[in-house]
Amino acid sequence: MRKKLRSRIFIHSLALLTASFFLAGAGAAAQEPGGEPQESEAPAVYEAEDASFAGNVHKEAFQPGYSGDGYAAGFAGDEDACTFQVQITQDGFYDLNFVSAAVGGYKENYVFVDGASAGEVSVEDMSFTDSVLTRVYLAEGEHEVTIKKFWGWILLDRLEITESEELDETMYEVSAHLCNPNASESAKRLMSFLADQYGKKILSGQYSSQGQLGKEFTVIHRVTDKYPAILGLDFIEYSPSRAANGSTSKATEYAMNYWKNGGIVTFCWHWNPPEKYFTREWWRAFYTDSTNIDLAAILNGEDEEGYQLLMEDIDAIAKQLAILQEADVPVLWRPLHEASGGWFWWGAAGPEAYKKLYVLLYDKLTNEYGLNNLIWVWNGQDKAWYPGDEYVDIIGEDLYPGERVYASQIDAYLNAVHYTDAHKMVVMSENGCVFDPELAVRDGAMWGFFCTWEGEFVAKNMAIYAYSEQYTEESMLKKAYDSDVVLTLEDLPDLTTYPIREDE
Ligand code: CA
């Protein structure tokens, strides 16, 4: 885990109207009451300098290019925020464009609507530019839209509100075809099932390093009387540099058991690098800040020993995947996760080195080791890190929006949908809190599955297993697991006989 959410930035084709066209702070919604939505409608504009400020936020007018009388600056401390009172004349979905400038490079900040988290917006340009949170549902009436310091360091000129474009529902039509032409029957059956459900149902999932009998599954079952459809596991302890320090794992065994019990398994791999690259404690060496490994040097031949060592690491994990293949267990395989965040060493050398490693890993596992039980879940979380359609079966996003945030994360969903034109399935490969499935359906955020991270996200850190409501209240967990839209272990068909869809 580790969180990263990069919102889509795009440029409106609409000509920007000057602020003088509107009465500051009282802009009309993007649409006439009762009228049909029209793309050409001008946005409602609310100048930041006329909004309410909290903390150190204040009006400035030094940086050129603003509209109105200036902009809001001073987003530096946790209390710093700017709140707009907006008037919406019709229930619907709206794009919120926080026209702003970044101070010294890429910045992300929180957006709240009426006090509830609505997502994050990002801006990279140092001049005033669009920074859009797409598809926020707003009912008719007055709303408070707040931008609050996460990274801070933006100059906020204005908020523009336009009606969202209608969703293109063909994005839910995904192929069941797997990249690997030799994919096993069981992998094809699983992918066929996932593709058949996609856009209609959402599979529940839960990470647990102790498998089905671990605390996470125990407390979820206690609250919901159900088990998740997907068990999430980590090959972390099979990394040779951890095994050398005494780590052991039963993850492979837990995966086989869950599959036998009718469930689905997904694996990530917190790849602990070879010991020679440790700069801090061995158990946290997968973090960039704890290793001096240089992936670029390894891949361009400067560090030949490093290359050999990485191949030995891959060999260790390939052996575990081979055990699963032997048992005919298909795996939703999510290696090299959250790469673009840079906090893991495989993302620290930038997208080109990462993509090389991803493709190398794909090639070795698929063609050298003959692992045909893998469904490749790419989790680079940035379009520039996408290795190509021929190496990706599913796109995963990891989202940790905070505590008890039940929003569907539609903005992140659509962002991921647009990494490629190839209509890949998009899943929430990790999450902290569980989103409200009702909101997912309303917003069109039809994640193929979610998979809540382990530990504190569901269970209290106590000897006696107890559910933790810190991230998701019991009532919401129950709502999710009871939802007709959400599939649990109990809802899964026999995946060993599920019909294979012969898609292109
Ligand atoms: Ca302004």
Side-chain angles (χ1 to χ4, degrees), residues 393-406:
D393 295 316
I394 292 176
I395 291 170
E397 289 287 298
D398 294 0
L399 295 170
Y400 292 85
E403 297 175 3
R404 301 183 177 188
V405 177
Y406 305 132

Side-chain angles (χ1 to χ4, degrees), residues 47-49 67-68 70-71 157:
E47 292 294 342
E49 62 274 19
S67 64
Y71 50 85
D157 180 28

Side-chain angles (χ1 to χ4, degrees), residues 55-293:
N56 299 305
V57 175
H58 56 272
K59 179 182 164 182
E60 273 185 12
F62 304 122
Q63 163 119 338
Y66 58 80
S67 64
D69 302 326
Y71 50 85
F75 295 87
D78 288 342
E79 300 307 310
D80 298 341
C82 176
T83 298
F84 300 87
Q85 301 289 335
V86 307
Q87 190 70 41
I88 297 297
T89 56
Q90 185 173 322
D91 298 358
F93 293 98
Y94 295 88
D95 292 352
L96 307 183
N97 180 11
F98 299 87
V99 177
S100 46
V103 179
Y106 184 84
K107 299 291 179 299
E108 288 179 25
N109 287 290
Y110 298 121
V111 176
F112 293 84
V113 174
D114 301 325
S117 168
E120 292 164 25
V121 281
S122 61
V123 60
E124 191 154 19
D125 208 313
M126 307 224 300
S127 55
F128 289 107
T129 188
D130 292 348
S131 170
V132 182
L133 186 64
T134 52
R135 222 171 151 72
V136 176
Y137 184 83
L138 296 172
E140 180 190 338
E142 259 199 42
H143 297 278
E144 282 194 355
V145 176
T146 302
I147 186 159
K148 195 163 188 242
K149 184 255 176 193
F150 173 24
W151 295 19
W153 302 104
I154 54 161
L155 310 178
L156 175 62
D157 180 28
R158 63 188 185 272
L159 167 62
E160 295 184 354
I161 302 183
T162 46
E163 274 204 67
S164 304
E165 279 177 33
E166 269 191 44
L167 283 187
D168 174 8
E169 302 227 335
T170 62
M171 69 184 170
Y172 305 126
E173 293 163 14
V174 295
S175 169
H177 175 81
L178 293 168
C179 301
N180 176 1
N182 300 314
S184 67
E185 297 256 304
S186 65
K188 287 182 185 172
R189 289 184 200 284
L190 174 54
M191 189 65 191
S192 296
F193 171 68
L194 295 174
D196 284 349
Q197 301 309 314
Y198 190 60
K200 302 184 270 294
K201 304 284 185 183
I202 296 166
L203 275 73
S204 54
Q206 176 63 51
Y207 273 83
S208 176
S209 54
Q210 304 153 306
Q212 190 176 1
L213 300 179
K215 62 183 172 186
E216 292 84 359
F217 277 53
T218 303
V219 296
I220 286 175
H221 194 261
R222 198 175 293 155
V223 171
T224 67
D225 208 29
K226 292 174 179 172
Y227 284 112
I230 300 174
L231 165 62
L233 293 156
D234 190 344
F235 281 128
I236 180 171
E237 307 302 351
Y238 297 99
S239 303
S241 65
R242 296 177 85 86
N245 277 288
S247 284
T248 58
S249 178
K250 289 187 174 171
T252 304
E253 205 177 312
Y254 294 145
M256 287 195 284
N257 287 339
Y258 210 53
W259 176 252
K260 251 185 240 162
N261 290 342
I264 297 168
V265 295
T266 183
F267 268 93
C268 66
W269 177 22
H270 281 89
W271 182 347
N272 227 62
E275 192 139 15
K276 67 176 280 201
Y277 300 110
F278 294 180
T279 56
R280 290 176 62 184
E281 298 91 339
W282 63 270
W283 45 265
R284 53 168 300 131
F286 50 85
Y287 282 121
T288 300
D289 69 7
S290 302
T291 173
N292 56 13
I293 192 167

